[in-house]
Amino acid sequence: MLKVLGIVGSPHNHGNTAFLVENSLDVIDKEDDFEVELITLGDKNINYCVGCDKCKKTNRCTIDDDMRELTAKVRDADALIVGSPVYFGDMTGQLKTFIDRLRPLRNIHAFKFKVCGAVSAGGFRNGGQEATIASIHDFFLVQGGIVVGDNRPTAHFGATGVGDTSEDKVGFDTSVYLAQRIIDVTRRLNE
Protein backbone atom coordinates (compact mmCIF):
# COMPACT_ATOMS: atom_id res chain seq x y z
CA MET A 1 0.00 0.00 0.00
CA LEU A 2 1.19 3.47 -0.88
CA LYS A 3 0.67 5.96 1.93
CA VAL A 4 -0.36 9.59 1.36
CA LEU A 5 -0.37 11.98 4.28
CA GLY A 6 -2.45 15.15 4.11
CA ILE A 7 -1.37 17.92 6.47
CA VAL A 8 -3.60 20.88 7.23
CA GLY A 9 -1.45 23.73 8.56
CA SER A 10 -4.37 25.85 9.74
CA PRO A 11 -5.51 26.67 13.26
CA HIS A 12 -8.99 25.73 11.98
CA ASN A 13 -9.08 21.97 11.52
CA HIS A 14 -12.22 21.99 9.38
CA GLY A 15 -11.90 25.21 7.39
CA ASN A 16 -11.35 26.07 3.74
CA THR A 17 -7.84 24.63 3.47
CA ALA A 18 -8.93 21.41 5.17
CA PHE A 19 -11.76 21.07 2.64
CA LEU A 20 -9.32 21.11 -0.28
CA VAL A 21 -6.79 18.77 1.36
CA GLU A 22 -9.58 16.37 2.33
CA ASN A 23 -10.93 16.46 -1.22
CA SER A 24 -7.51 15.52 -2.60
CA LEU A 25 -7.26 12.68 -0.09
CA ASP A 26 -10.77 11.47 -1.00
CA VAL A 27 -9.73 11.19 -4.66
CA ILE A 28 -6.59 9.25 -3.72
CA ASP A 29 -8.42 7.01 -1.23
CA LYS A 30 -10.58 5.63 -4.07
CA GLU A 31 -7.48 3.94 -5.50
CA ASP A 32 -6.98 0.33 -4.36
CA ASP A 33 -3.23 0.65 -3.92
CA PHE A 34 -3.31 3.81 -1.75
CA GLU A 35 -4.17 4.61 1.83
CA VAL A 36 -4.55 8.14 3.18
CA GLU A 37 -4.34 9.88 6.52
CA LEU A 38 -5.26 13.44 7.46
CA ILE A 39 -3.30 15.37 10.07
CA THR A 40 -4.60 18.68 11.36
CA LEU A 41 -2.04 20.88 13.12
CA GLY A 42 -4.59 23.09 14.88
CA ASP A 43 -5.13 20.49 17.58
CA LYS A 44 -1.51 19.41 18.02
CA ASN A 45 1.05 20.36 20.66
CA ILE A 46 4.04 21.48 18.58
CA ASN A 47 6.72 23.61 20.19
CA TYR A 48 9.18 25.83 18.34
CA CYS A 49 12.55 24.54 17.18
CA VAL A 50 15.20 25.95 19.52
CA GLY A 51 18.15 25.43 17.18
CA CYS A 52 20.03 23.17 19.58
CA ASP A 53 21.36 21.06 16.66
CA LYS A 54 21.07 17.83 18.67
CA CYS A 55 18.96 16.35 15.86
CA LYS A 56 21.96 16.64 13.54
CA LYS A 57 23.77 14.08 15.71
CA THR A 58 20.88 11.82 16.72
CA ASN A 59 18.37 12.24 13.84
CA ARG A 60 15.77 12.82 16.56
CA CYS A 61 14.42 15.99 18.11
CA THR A 62 14.89 16.28 21.87
CA ILE A 63 11.63 18.18 22.40
CA ASP A 64 8.93 15.87 23.77
CA ASP A 65 5.65 16.83 22.08
CA ASP A 66 3.38 15.67 19.26
CA MET A 67 6.16 16.06 16.68
CA ARG A 68 7.71 12.74 17.63
CA GLU A 69 4.68 10.87 16.28
CA LEU A 70 4.14 13.29 13.39
CA THR A 71 7.77 13.09 12.26
CA ALA A 72 7.51 9.30 12.06
CA LYS A 73 4.31 9.57 9.99
CA VAL A 74 5.94 12.01 7.56
CA ARG A 75 9.04 9.81 7.33
CA ASP A 76 6.97 6.74 6.47
CA ALA A 77 4.66 8.37 3.90
CA ASP A 78 5.20 7.87 0.18
CA ALA A 79 3.59 11.21 -0.63
CA LEU A 80 2.54 14.39 1.15
CA ILE A 81 -0.09 17.01 0.50
CA VAL A 82 0.58 20.04 2.67
CA GLY A 83 -1.94 22.85 2.89
CA SER A 84 -2.04 26.28 4.46
CA PRO A 85 -4.37 29.24 4.36
CA VAL A 86 -2.76 32.52 3.37
CA TYR A 87 -1.67 34.55 6.39
CA PHE A 88 -0.19 37.88 5.34
CA GLY A 89 0.98 36.44 2.03
CA ASP A 90 2.48 33.23 3.40
CA MET A 91 1.87 30.03 5.37
CA THR A 92 0.58 29.97 8.93
CA GLY A 93 2.84 30.00 11.97
CA GLN A 94 1.59 26.50 12.86
CA LEU A 95 2.79 25.11 9.54
CA LYS A 96 6.14 26.91 9.70
CA THR A 97 6.77 25.52 13.20
CA PHE A 98 5.85 22.02 11.98
CA ILE A 99 8.24 22.38 9.03
CA ASP A 100 11.08 23.62 11.23
CA ARG A 101 10.67 20.61 13.50
CA LEU A 102 11.03 18.16 10.59
CA ARG A 103 14.73 18.96 10.43
CA PRO A 104 15.77 15.45 11.63
CA LEU A 105 14.36 14.01 8.38
CA ARG A 106 16.79 16.07 6.30
CA ASN A 107 19.80 14.24 7.71
CA ILE A 108 18.44 10.85 6.67
CA HIS A 109 17.21 12.04 3.23
CA ALA A 110 13.67 10.88 4.05
CA PHE A 111 12.20 12.92 1.17
CA LYS A 112 14.45 11.53 -1.57
CA PHE A 113 11.61 9.64 -3.26
CA LYS A 114 8.65 11.33 -1.59
CA VAL A 115 6.08 12.97 -3.89
CA CYS A 116 4.97 16.34 -2.55
CA GLY A 117 2.08 18.64 -3.43
CA ALA A 118 0.82 21.89 -1.92
CA VAL A 119 -2.59 23.43 -1.29
CA SER A 120 -3.50 26.97 -0.28
CA ALA A 121 -6.72 28.88 0.30
CA GLY A 122 -7.13 32.64 0.57
CA GLY A 123 -9.77 35.28 0.82
CA PHE A 124 -9.35 36.47 -2.78
CA ARG A 125 -8.63 34.67 -6.08
CA ASN A 126 -5.14 36.18 -6.21
CA GLY A 127 -4.74 36.64 -2.47
CA GLY A 128 -1.33 35.08 -1.95
CA GLN A 129 -2.06 31.41 -2.61
CA GLU A 130 0.83 31.00 -5.07
CA ALA A 131 3.26 32.72 -2.69
CA THR A 132 2.14 30.40 0.10
CA ILE A 133 2.51 27.37 -2.15
CA ALA A 134 5.99 28.58 -3.16
CA SER A 135 7.00 28.64 0.50
CA ILE A 136 5.70 25.11 0.96
CA HIS A 137 7.56 24.06 -2.20
CA ASP A 138 10.74 25.58 -0.75
CA PHE A 139 10.36 23.26 2.23
CA PHE A 140 9.87 20.25 -0.06
CA LEU A 141 12.93 21.16 -2.12
CA VAL A 142 15.16 21.74 0.92
CA GLN A 143 14.13 18.29 2.15
CA GLY A 144 14.88 16.80 -1.29
CA GLY A 145 11.28 15.94 -2.16
CA ILE A 146 9.75 15.53 -5.61
CA VAL A 147 7.43 18.49 -6.13
CA VAL A 148 4.35 18.18 -8.34
CA GLY A 149 1.65 20.66 -9.34
CA ASP A 150 -1.80 20.03 -10.70
CA ASN A 151 -0.61 19.37 -14.28
CA ARG A 152 -3.44 21.51 -15.69
CA PRO A 153 -3.82 25.12 -16.79
CA THR A 154 -5.94 25.91 -13.73
CA ALA A 155 -3.33 26.21 -10.96
CA HIS A 156 0.11 25.18 -12.15
CA PHE A 157 1.72 25.06 -8.71
CA GLY A 158 -0.87 23.07 -6.76
CA ALA A 159 -4.44 23.40 -5.51
CA THR A 160 -5.63 26.95 -4.86
CA GLY A 161 -8.94 27.93 -3.37
CA VAL A 162 -10.70 31.17 -2.59
CA GLY A 163 -13.26 32.07 0.05
CA ASP A 164 -15.62 29.27 1.00
CA THR A 165 -13.79 26.51 -0.86
CA SER A 166 -16.83 24.23 -0.76
CA GLU A 167 -18.39 26.75 -3.19
CA ASP A 168 -15.24 27.29 -5.29
CA LYS A 169 -15.45 25.07 -8.41
CA VAL A 170 -11.98 26.08 -9.66
CA GLY A 171 -10.41 25.37 -6.26
CA PHE A 172 -12.22 22.05 -6.05
CA ASP A 173 -11.01 21.06 -9.52
CA THR A 174 -7.40 21.96 -8.71
CA SER A 175 -7.50 19.73 -5.62
CA VAL A 176 -8.70 16.85 -7.82
CA TYR A 177 -5.99 17.47 -10.42
CA LEU A 178 -3.30 17.66 -7.73
CA ALA A 179 -4.51 14.34 -6.32
CA GLN A 180 -4.37 12.72 -9.76
CA ARG A 181 -0.80 13.95 -10.24
CA ILE A 182 0.21 12.62 -6.80
CA ILE A 183 -1.28 9.23 -7.75
CA ASP A 184 0.49 9.07 -11.13
CA VAL A 185 3.95 10.07 -9.92
CA THR A 186 3.83 8.02 -6.71
CA ARG A 187 2.86 4.92 -8.67
CA ARG A 188 5.60 5.47 -11.23
CA LEU A 189 8.23 5.85 -8.51
CA ASN A 190 7.09 2.68 -6.78
CA GLU A 191 6.79 0.36 -9.82
Side-chain angles (χ1 to χ4, degrees):
M1 273 305 219
L2 299 168
K3 173 87 177 200
V4 180
L5 199 60
I7 299 162
V8 177
S10 172
H12 309 288
N13 294 334
H14 303 290
N16 294 312
T17 303
F19 176 82
L20 294 175
V21 173
E22 289 170 0
N23 190 57
S24 291
L25 292 178
D26 288 347
V27 170
I28 295 166
D29 198 34
K30 291 176 181 159
E31 302 297 315
D32 292 337
D33 52 339
F34 282 85
E35 64 179 325
V36 301
E37 181 178 353
L38 178 70
I39 292 175
T40 54
L41 300 185
D43 56 357
K44 301 294 185 281
N45 174 30
I46 303 174
N47 294 296
Y48 299 110
C49 175
V50 296
C52 68
D53 285 341
K54 291 179 182 169
C55 65
K56 289 173 76 174
K57 297 179 181 117
T58 64
N59 296 326
R60 186 168 186 251
C61 183
T62 60
I63 299 171
D64 186 13
D65 61 10
D66 290 339
M67 279 306 294
R68 290 197 176 165
E69 177 185 356
L70 297 176
T71 300
K73 288 178 182 276
V74 171
R75 180 196 63 221
D76 296 341
D78 296 293
L80 297 177
I81 298 173
V82 176
S84 178
V86 178
Y87 277 28
F88 286 92
D90 213 328
M91 70 178 78
T92 64
Q94 288 88 344
L95 184 56
K96 179 63 168 106
T97 299
F98 172 80
I99 286 170
D100 290 346
R101 291 288 304 286
L102 289 174
R103 187 175 180 199
L105 298 182
R106 179 69 182 118
N107 297 333
I108 62 170
H109 306 287
F111 280 64
K112 186 173 184 179
F113 297 106
K114 197 176 303 294
V115 180
C116 305
V119 172
S120 184
F124 304 96
R125 176 60 58 204
N126 299 300
Q129 293 91 328
E130 286 187 354
T132 301
I133 285 175
S135 290
I136 297 169
H137 284 178
D138 288 346
F139 154 65
F140 294 150
L141 293 169
V142 167
Q143 284 280 12
I146 300 166
V147 178
V148 299
D150 81 340
N151 200 39
R152 300 289 176 109
T154 47
H156 306 295
F157 302 105
T160 59
V162 62
D164 179 352
T165 54
S166 67
E167 302 287 326
D168 178 18
K169 170 93 168 87
V170 173
F172 181 89
D173 289 348
T174 62
S175 67
V176 170
Y177 302 147
L178 177 65
Q180 291 168 339
R181 187 78 174 127
I182 294 274
I183 291 166
D184 291 345
V185 177
T186 305
R187 274 190 183 137
R188 179 62 63 95
L189 285 171
N190 289 280
E191 286 180 339

